[in-house]
Amino acid sequence: MKKRKAILAVLLTAGMLTGCLGKGGSSTLNSESSRIFVTEEGTLQTATVESYAQQDYYNGDELKAFLEEAVSQYNGANGQNQVTLDSCTLDKGTAKMVFHYASAEALIGFTTQYEDKANLVESIEVNKLSEVYSQSESEKVTFIKASDGKKADEKAVSKKGASQAVVVTSANPVTIQTQGKILLVSDNVVIKDSHTVQTTKGKSYIIFK
């Protein structure tokens, strides 16, 4: 157990989670770099990915066992199947961990408890754009079209009401990947590819179909 905790400390709290973006544009989770993945149904996953110095005490089986125990303890305290470990690998200096969450609250709670700094957000909600459009208006959000990077007028935005809207608030930048193609983003969001963005500090809107 002591060795597992040492491994996790190195991977999660020593700045491991600052990897650059991998190749993007996919409608399936790209686990080549750390990110939050949002499906068309609004379900959430995280990928935690980074390089590490190869040493004998890094053992994939032990790390997996520790993470499974961490998930079990979290679920025991917060409800069955709130968090699931989908995969965990250590290979040739690269660590990859993928988790699935039953709710936004589970994602926030688990990443906070285990200091997953790359995927740590203060809030994240997935709704139809029509449900958050009035909120965005009151906040005077400026939307940018993903297709050409130009400002979208109010009429164009309102027509996308049936599309999914991810509203995320974070203290630090996070990478968000959507299963559907990104249509619009608030003007504080950096578009990386047709399915991937990087947020900035504060509240961000990502609209996808």
Side-chain angles (χ1 to χ4, degrees):
M1 175 63 71
K2 186 175 181 180
K3 182 187 285 187
R4 293 181 202 156
K5 288 184 176 180
I7 294 171
L8 190 67
V10 170
L11 294 181
L12 292 185
T13 65
M16 173 206 157
L17 305 176
T18 57
C20 61
L21 288 174
K23 293 181 180 179
S26 175
S27 61
T28 58
L29 173 62
N30 177 358
S31 61
E32 295 305 308
S33 64
S34 299
R35 63 192 55 214
I36 298 173
F37 181 63
V38 185
T39 71
E40 293 173 348
E41 291 75 31
T43 59
L44 300 166
Q45 288 179 285
T46 57
T48 299
V49 185
E50 190 51 283
S51 300
Y52 64 91
Q54 296 189 63
Q55 299 181 43
D56 291 341
Y57 59 80
Y58 289 106
N59 182 289
D61 290 338
E62 289 191 332
L63 177 60
K64 182 179 180 181
F66 177 84
L67 293 174
E68 288 175 338
E69 182 177 327
V71 167
S72 178
Q73 290 179 352
Y74 183 87
N75 288 337
N78 295 279
Q80 188 175 7
N81 298 323
Q82 291 299 299
V83 181
T84 304
L85 177 65
D86 288 342
S87 64
C88 171
T89 61
L90 293 176
D91 183 44
K92 298 179 181 179
T94 300
K96 298 182 181 182
M97 293 165 276
V98 177
F99 296 91
H100 179 272
Y101 305 90
S103 66
E105 291 75 17
L107 184 154
I108 294 166
F110 189 75
T111 56
T112 298
Q113 184 170 334
Y114 291 96
E115 300 184 38
D116 185 346
K117 297 175 183 177
N119 297 314
L120 187 60
V121 297
E122 296 173 8
S123 67
I124 183 168
E125 299 177 6
V126 186
N127 295 297
K128 295 297 183 182
L129 176 56
S130 59
E131 297 177 23
V132 299
Y133 182 64
S134 61
Q135 172 184 309
S136 69
E137 281 192 308
S138 67
E139 294 171 351
K140 301 186 184 303
V141 174
T142 297
F143 284 100
I144 303 300
K145 293 182 289 183
S147 58
D148 59 15
K150 296 180 180 180
K151 180 181 176 180
D153 59 39
E154 293 183 11
K155 185 176 181 180
V157 175
S158 62
K159 285 183 177 180
K160 306 296 184 183
S163 300
Q164 294 284 67
V166 184
V167 184
V168 57
T169 304
S170 62
N172 297 292
V174 293
T175 297
I176 306 287
Q177 182 190 347
T178 59
Q179 184 177 16
K181 188 175 180 180
I182 295 170
L183 303 174
L184 303 162
V185 297
S186 51
D187 62 358
N188 60 336
V189 171
V190 178
I191 298 173
K192 296 296 184 178
D193 59 53
S194 59
H195 293 267
T196 313
V197 301
Q198 188 169 54
T199 70
T200 55
K201 181 179 179 180
K203 181 179 285 189
S204 303
Y205 288 75
I206 304 102
I207 314 304
F208 69 96
K209 64 178 182 181

